[in-house]
């Protein structure tokens, strides 16, 4: 017997795997990579945590399909920010369900806890997820809250012993933390840092972006780093804030953006490659303002084979007015 468990790397998903694996069932921890899990790729770390819980690990990249089918047209809407949690969970189960045959698995597992999250883990939301996942065969098992829910096919058929499952509900994590202690786990908080779509700043960046451009897979990472400016003729400028930002921006491979440097220690920047000459010149002026530059000195900066002679703004406040949101 084998099960597929949706896997975030967090404590609940590790415990769900452990409860099933301890019943002698092989488990594949399936990480569905949407690109919005955080600013770092932690799939190697997830594989270690899956092994700790008793599962093998598999990651599938769904970024393209997720953007096309889920992100901008969720049936059940968004949470507080740009997070389509119910549709997202339903989609992930649907992906996992399609993989049952190929992996030789019989049912699906998740670490969801009844009532833990206000949008996606209410009882009615779980039913909505079931409908979106097209789970007519009743194959989705939630081991941490199973005794508070109707029996699923794995329980009814005796594949899983329902008496060994749990009845956890609500937002308290006391029982989960106690179980982690019993298992000797001390590395279980989500390494991905949560979903970026639940964060206000990232969500605002998406809303602003789609007013001017079509959102593609390559733009997921573009919005994760740097200061973001919208210039008068419509071009987006991204200016690194610190060393880690600069490295991340240099590693972004986005066909719509080109990078440039300033001639003194300072930020690495990306500019929309079809920017007007006026926007390019302003981008150079903004970038040099955030560098270790002298206010009364002119600097030559090359962008897209064009050279601009610019002086820094008298203060960063003058550059701030081009922030897409001055409050950020």
């Amino acid at each position: 017997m084998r099960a597929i468990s949706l896997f975030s790397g967090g404590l609940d998903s590790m415990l769900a795997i452990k409860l099933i694996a301890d019943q002698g069932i092989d488990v594949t921890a399936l990480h569905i990579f949407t690109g919005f899990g955080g600013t770092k790729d932690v799939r190697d770390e997830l594989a270690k945590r899956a092994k700790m819980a008793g599962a093998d690990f598999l990651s599938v990249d769904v970024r393209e399909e997720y953007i096309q089918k889920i992100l901008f047209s969720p049936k059940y809407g968004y949470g507080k920010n740009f997070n389509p949690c119910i549709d997202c969970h339903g989609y992930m189960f649907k992906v996992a369900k399609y993989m049952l045959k190929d992996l030789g698995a019989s049912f699906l597992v998740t670490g969801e806890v009844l009532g833990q999250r206000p949008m996606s883990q209410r009882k009615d939301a779980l039913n909505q997820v079931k409908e979106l996942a097209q789970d007519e065969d009743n194959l989705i098992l939630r081991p941490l809250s199973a005794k508070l829910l109707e029996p699923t096919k794995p329980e009814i058929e005796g594949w899983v012993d329902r008496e060994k499952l749990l009845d956890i509900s609500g937002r308290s994590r006391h029982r989960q933390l106690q179980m982690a202690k019993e298992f000797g786990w001390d590395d279980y908080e989500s390494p991905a840092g949560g979903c970026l779509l639940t964060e206000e700043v990232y969500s605002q960046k998406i809303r602003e972006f789609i007013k001017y451009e079509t959102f593609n897979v390559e733009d997921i990472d573009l919005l994760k780093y740097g200061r973001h400016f919208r210039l008068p003729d419509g071009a987006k400028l991204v200016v690194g804030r610190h060393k880690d930002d600069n490295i991340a921006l240099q590693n972004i491979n986005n066909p719509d953006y080109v990078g440039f440097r300033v001639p003194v220690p300072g930020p690495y920047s990306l500019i929309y490659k079809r920017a007007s000459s006026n926007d390019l010149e302003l981008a150079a002026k903004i970038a040099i303002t955030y560098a270790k530059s002298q206010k009364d000195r002119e600097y030559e900066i090359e962008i897209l084979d064009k050279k601009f002679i610019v002086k820094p703004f008298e203060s960063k406040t003058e550059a701030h007015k081009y922030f897409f949101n001055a409050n950020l």
Side-chain angles (χ1 to χ4, degrees):
M1 181 65 63
R2 175 175 290 275
I4 296 175
S5 181
L6 296 185
F7 191 62
S8 68
L11 177 57
D12 290 345
S13 58
M14 291 176 69
L15 290 172
I17 288 173
K18 179 71 172 170
L19 289 169
I20 300 304
D22 280 356
Q23 295 199 30
I25 297 169
D26 293 333
V27 182
T28 294
L30 179 64
H31 174 61
I32 298 180
F33 183 64
T34 66
F36 296 105
T39 56
K40 296 180 180 179
D41 187 341
V42 294
R43 282 174 282 187
D44 289 342
E45 181 68 17
L46 291 177
K48 294 177 184 177
R49 294 187 180 194
K51 184 177 181 180
M52 187 190 305
D56 54 40
F57 179 76
L58 177 65
S59 180
V60 293
D61 188 334
V62 300
R63 290 175 296 172
E64 191 83 44
E65 186 174 73
Y66 188 83
I67 289 171
Q68 292 178 358
K69 295 186 177 181
I70 304 299
L71 185 59
F72 297 111
S73 56
K75 179 177 179 180
Y76 290 104
Y78 300 100
K80 185 177 179 181
N81 291 297
F82 215 85
N83 46 311
C85 293
I86 294 175
D87 290 76
C88 183
H89 286 197
Y91 170 75
M92 289 184 174
F93 280 122
K94 198 170 182 179
V95 171
K97 185 181 175 184
Y98 285 141
M99 300 179 69
L100 285 171
K101 184 176 180 180
D102 288 343
L103 295 179
S106 301
F107 63 98
L108 306 176
V109 174
T110 171
E112 290 172 303
V113 171
L114 183 65
Q116 187 178 87
R117 297 186 184 276
M119 180 177 183
S120 61
Q121 293 179 17
R122 308 181 317 271
K123 196 161 189 177
D124 61 324
L126 299 184
N127 290 330
Q128 291 167 340
V129 167
K130 179 181 177 68
E131 174 252 322
L132 290 170
Q134 299 176 0
D135 182 34
E136 300 90 352
D137 296 326
N138 203 20
L139 297 178
I140 298 175
L141 174 63
R142 297 175 171 86
L144 298 180
S145 297
K147 289 183 177 179
L148 302 175
L149 303 169
E150 292 297 317
T152 60
K153 184 173 181 178
E155 298 160 273
I156 294 169
E157 296 292 332
W159 304 342
V160 173
D161 184 349
R162 182 176 171 89
E163 292 307 308
K164 295 180 180 179
L165 304 180
L166 304 181
D167 59 354
I168 300 175
S169 66
R171 305 187 74 172
S172 171
R173 297 174 61 78
H174 175 75
R175 289 179 68 183
Q176 292 98 309
L177 293 171
Q178 183 60 38
M179 290 171 68
K181 185 177 180 180
E182 292 171 4
F183 295 141
W185 295 347
D186 57 7
D187 176 29
Y188 48 74
E189 292 302 321
S190 174
C195 177
L196 290 171
L197 297 174
T198 66
E199 297 181 4
E200 181 181 1
V201 172
Y202 193 86
S203 298
Q204 288 183 4
K205 287 179 180 178
I206 292 181
R207 291 190 180 97
E208 191 274 344
F209 188 91
I210 60 178
K211 291 179 181 178
Y212 296 86
E213 302 168 50
T214 300
F215 191 84
N216 297 306
V217 167
E218 297 82 5
D219 300 316
I220 297 175
D221 286 343
L222 179 73
L223 301 190
K224 292 179 181 180
Y225 309 101
R227 305 175 183 89
H228 286 243
F229 300 83
R230 185 65 66 178
L231 306 183
D233 290 342
K236 173 176 277 293
L237 168 69
V238 184
V239 178
R241 297 168 297 178
H242 43 63
K243 181 180 178 181
D244 290 344
D245 252 8
N246 292 337
I247 293 171
L249 291 174
Q250 288 178 64
N251 289 331
I252 287 177
N253 183 17
N254 190 314
D256 290 328
Y257 285 78
V258 64
F260 69 93
R261 296 179 178 276
V262 293
V264 293
Y268 185 83
S269 303
L270 293 175
I271 182 73
Y272 186 59
K273 71 177 184 180
R274 288 183 286 278
S276 68
S277 291
N278 287 338
D279 277 357
L280 292 176
E281 183 173 8
L282 179 57
K285 189 174 180 69
I286 291 173
I288 197 65
T289 300
Y290 286 95
K292 293 182 178 180
S293 55
Q294 300 175 26
K295 294 183 178 62
D296 57 351
R297 182 181 166 186
E298 292 184 333
Y299 296 88
E300 181 179 277
I301 299 174
E302 183 174 334
I303 312 175
L304 287 170
D305 298 325
K306 296 180 180 180
K307 294 181 179 180
F308 301 93
I309 307 296
V310 295
K311 282 185 178 181
F313 283 110
E314 285 296 317
S315 71
K316 292 183 177 68
T317 303
E318 294 182 67
H320 287 178
K321 66 183 179 181
Y322 298 105
F323 271 2
F324 78 86
N325 184 330
N327 294 323
L328 303 181

